[in-house]
Amino acid sequence: MQNNSTTAWKGLVIPTSILFLWVFLGMIGRLNTQLFPTLGEVWDAFCYLVQKGLLWHHVADSLSRVLAGFGLAILVGVPLGLLMGCVPQSHIWFGPMLHFLRQIPPTAWVPVFLLWFGIGEGPKFAVIFYASVFPIVINSALGVQQIPREYWEVSRVLCLSPWKTLTTLVIPGSYQAVCTGLRLGMGMSWRAIVAAEMLASTSGLGYLVMSSRSLARVDEMFAGIALIGLIGIVIDAAFVKVQNHLIPAWRWRVTKAGGEELVGAPAPVTASFQEV
Amino acid sequence: MSAPLLQLQQVSKKFNDGDARGNVLALRDVNLTVQKGEFVSILGPSGCGKSTLLRIIAGLTAPTAGRCLYKGQPVTKPSLERGYVFQDPRLFPWLTVLENINLANSSINGEELLEKMDLAEFGQALPHELSGGMARRVALARALAPRPSLLLLDEPLASLDLPLRHNLQTELQRIWEQHGVTCILVTHDIDEALALGTRLIMLSKRPGSIRYDIPLELSLPRTGHQERVRALKTQVLEWMEVR
């Protein structure tokens, strides 16, 4: 993303080639359309879903669930992470527990959450919360810990109150890392909600894909899957845009350059591959 | 007679590295009394514990043995009465120059201070827009803003080029004269120590202890005493060789 205009096209070469191959195979009749629809069929299915007004209903349901669960994860995760970052050695106490819980796929909890929270929206919020809260907590804590010791000394020498230290050092200093956590969390929750809707739901994109299986509508399945990916990309891109323009001064973070001199450096804007 | 501004009594500092080398003794039995209005230059080889001494005075770290008294009271934590200027400017990069200066206390007039330091038009600039020399002046202003009685300078001019150093040295002198603030300057630059101090203290190499403590009774600016300064410098260099 560094040279958006000059290199962005390179990333489109492979997807475009695949689309062409797909169209080509469809044209020469080499696709078993029972299992693999042609691109035209997928597009028709997509248009059909749009015309019937079903699609937006599913998309809106999925998105609103993500927003609710993700919002809750922010409210809990960011303060908890910042607090952990401020307490020395907190990772010794909390690290193993966090890493254990983090290994469990959110969908594995679906049966448990169904039991606990009933069959309404509760378990879906819980799944999204679970999926997104760990990257948020861990990255927030990391962000605070990455603030060089030298800056804490400034805060001590100037006798800043805990509140002032929080607002002038901890929050701006960890802003980039917190945003990375939020971005990862958002991606995780989007993936998790679709999975959760596949297991227990009557609406949402996950439900759309799953129900088209029982109707053997392989074209709708593909339309749903593609849309899930597209929406995920759009959300992520929007997130980066907001992150970089919300508070421009906070893009500067403290780094130790050359061992001695402390300078503010513009933080890297994207992390294209490291999130997987 | 009231207590002196600063008193160090038998101050020693031991660092625990936590590795096989065991403890490192950085300072040994340092005794020092600083009166109000002095400008003390502390000179010593690198790694002799100069910075550690300053950090103890600031209250950033506690001595392992001995006492550090400020106005007769033991130093236990940093105070706004003791300003600290670090080796690097350490400005918060997300705050404007003015916000950085007003960090400790927003009631003081940071703009006036900026004007005095020729930084008036940079109040709304972010630190990355400043040159190295300007950033240091801002760091100096930040330390002066709470009106400290004692200013601790930890090689604040290190890694600046020569003309800039001279500029800022003059600036420091002016601050010392005008603000009536007592200064303790740590440096490894002999010329700087001689140009600014009213008193010169030389530390031995690690573990640091005071080897020489001589008054520099020369009026400012020192340019009028070039002969005397040159003689002092030769003397100091000699002492450093002996060590």
Side-chain angles (χ1 to χ4, degrees):
Chain A
M1 268 242 203
Q2 288 90 336
N3 296 311
N4 226 335
S5 48
T6 53
T7 58
W9 64 271
K10 289 181 185 168
L12 295 175
V13 169
I14 291 173
T16 316
S17 311
I18 291 174
L19 284 182
F20 272 113
L21 184 67
W22 191 0
V23 172
F24 176 70
L25 287 176
M27 283 196 326
I28 62 171
R30 284 307 197 121
L31 288 177
N32 178 355
T33 50
Q34 294 292 308
L35 301 177
F36 208 113
T38 64
L39 186 57
E41 285 172 336
V42 174
W43 177 249
D44 288 344
F46 179 76
C47 292
Y48 169 77
L49 287 170
V50 171
Q51 274 164 12
K52 274 186 73 181
L54 283 170
L55 199 58
W56 305 131
H57 162 68
H58 287 304
V59 169
D61 273 7
S62 290
L63 279 178
S64 56
R65 282 171 190 149
V66 165
L67 278 181
F70 184 63
L72 193 64
I74 294 177
L75 287 180
V76 174
V78 174
L80 190 67
L82 294 182
L83 187 71
M84 279 178 58
C86 291
V87 179
Q89 303 198 318
S90 62
H91 61 281
I92 294 174
W93 291 89
F94 292 99
M97 190 64 198
L98 275 178
H99 288 296
F100 166 73
L101 289 173
R102 194 165 81 101
Q103 299 305 320
I104 303 168
T107 37
W109 287 98
V110 169
V112 180
F113 290 159
L114 282 172
L115 205 60
W116 287 353
F117 305 115
I119 51 166
E121 293 297 288
K124 286 150 205 138
F125 294 160
V127 166
I128 295 163
F129 176 82
Y130 192 90
S132 53
V133 81
F134 293 108
I136 295 177
V137 169
I138 290 169
N139 280 281
S140 303
L142 217 62
V144 179
Q145 281 163 7
Q146 279 166 350
I147 297 172
R149 187 180 56 86
E150 283 80 355
Y151 284 83
W152 292 101
E153 283 182 359
V154 172
S155 136
R156 287 178 62 199
V157 159
L158 294 175
C159 303
L160 300 187
S161 66
W163 174 252
K164 191 105 193 222
T165 306
L166 182 73
T167 54
T168 58
L169 181 60
V170 174
I171 291 176
S174 60
Y175 173 70
Q176 289 293 337
V178 170
C179 282
T180 303
L182 294 183
R183 194 175 155 207
L184 295 181
M186 180 55 107
M188 300 287 265
S189 59
W190 183 242
R191 274 173 273 188
I193 185 58
V194 171
E197 285 168 349
M198 285 182 166
L199 293 177
S201 185
T202 52
S203 69
L205 284 172
Y207 168 75
L208 173 71
V209 172
M210 214 52 191
S211 64
S212 43
R213 188 196 67 116
S214 48
L215 300 171
R217 289 297 303 268
V218 72
D219 48 351
E220 282 185 14
M221 231 184 270
F222 271 71
I225 290 171
L227 194 61
I228 289 165
L230 282 175
I231 292 176
I233 286 184
V234 169
I235 292 175
D236 193 61
F239 206 94
V240 174
K241 263 275 193 281
V242 170
Q243 170 185 353
N244 286 329
H245 292 92
L246 198 60
I247 307 171
W250 287 8
R251 281 184 59 193
W252 295 87
R253 63 176 181 185
V254 288
T255 50
K256 253 196 145 173
E260 288 291 327
E261 190 83 341
L262 285 154
V263 292
V269 185
T270 58
S272 304
F273 289 104
Q274 69 195 39
E275 64 208 73
V276 188
Chain B
M1 203 184 120
S2 63
L5 190 67
L6 183 75
Q7 251 180 319
L8 299 182
Q9 298 170 339
Q10 302 284 314
V11 166
S12 298
K13 178 71 180 178
K14 210 181 275 181
F15 283 113
N16 195 342
D17 273 20
D19 65 8
R21 290 185 302 146
N23 296 337
V24 176
L25 193 60
L27 291 172
R28 188 170 59 198
D29 295 337
V30 174
N31 288 297
L32 176 66
T33 302
V34 176
Q35 301 292 348
K36 194 172 178 299
E38 282 192 285
F39 194 126
V40 182
S41 292
I42 299 181
L43 198 59
S46 48
C48 73
K50 304 185 293 271
S51 294
T52 307
L53 188 63
L54 221 50
R55 292 167 59 83
I56 288 172
I57 298 170
L60 280 172
T61 184
T64 321
R67 296 206 302 165
C68 175
L69 301 175
Y70 176 79
K71 290 185 175 168
Q73 298 298 313
V75 168
T76 54
K77 58 175 199 275
S79 146
L80 286 178
E81 284 196 42
R82 297 185 299 276
Y84 201 107
V85 184
F86 296 94
Q87 263 184 53
D88 32 46
R90 300 189 190 178
L91 305 174
F92 289 180
W94 40 80
L95 297 182
T96 66
V97 165
L98 203 55
E99 286 169 335
N100 265 294
I101 292 176
N102 287 343
L103 256 180
N105 184 351
S106 47
S107 68
I108 58 112
N109 196 349
E111 281 170 40
E112 198 184 307
L113 205 55
L114 275 183
E115 221 159 275
K116 269 190 193 163
M117 304 200 88
D118 271 339
L119 287 164
E121 64 262 52
F122 291 98
Q124 297 310 315
L126 285 174
H128 72 268
E129 299 168 86
L130 305 177
S131 68
M134 288 201 286
R136 271 153 222 267
R137 291 223 294 278
V138 175
L140 200 54
R142 181 180 63 186
L144 286 170
R147 300 187 194 289
S149 324
L150 179 62
L151 191 58
L152 305 167
L153 303 150
D154 186 1
E155 303 199 39
L157 309 182
S159 75
L160 282 181
D161 53 39
L162 211 57
L164 212 52
R165 271 183 98 105
H166 282 307
N167 258 336
L168 283 170
Q169 283 173 5
T170 320
E171 186 86 43
L172 271 178
Q173 229 157 44
R174 204 177 50 78
I175 287 165
W176 173 68
E177 286 173 328
Q178 291 183 357
H179 290 245
V181 58
T182 308
C183 291
I184 301 180
L185 169 75
V186 154
T187 180
H188 59 250
D189 180 342
I190 302 174
D191 296 312
E192 189 168 288
L194 292 176
L196 295 172
T198 59
R199 178 177 172 191
L200 177 68
I201 285 175
M202 286 183 65
L203 291 184
S204 66
K205 65 181 175 192
R206 203 163 62 199
S209 57
I210 295 178
R211 285 182 67 100
Y212 298 100
D213 183 349
I214 52 171
L216 301 171
E217 285 148 345
L218 303 170
S219 62
L220 293 170
R222 296 278 151 84
T223 42
H225 304 271
Q226 279 179 1
E227 282 306 311
R228 179 83 182 100
V229 169
R230 205 170 299 143
L232 269 169
K233 188 176 174 184
T234 318
Q235 174 75 77
V236 168
L237 279 170
E238 223 167 83
W239 281 337
M240 287 175 111
E241 304 247 317
V242 173
R243 124 188 132 235

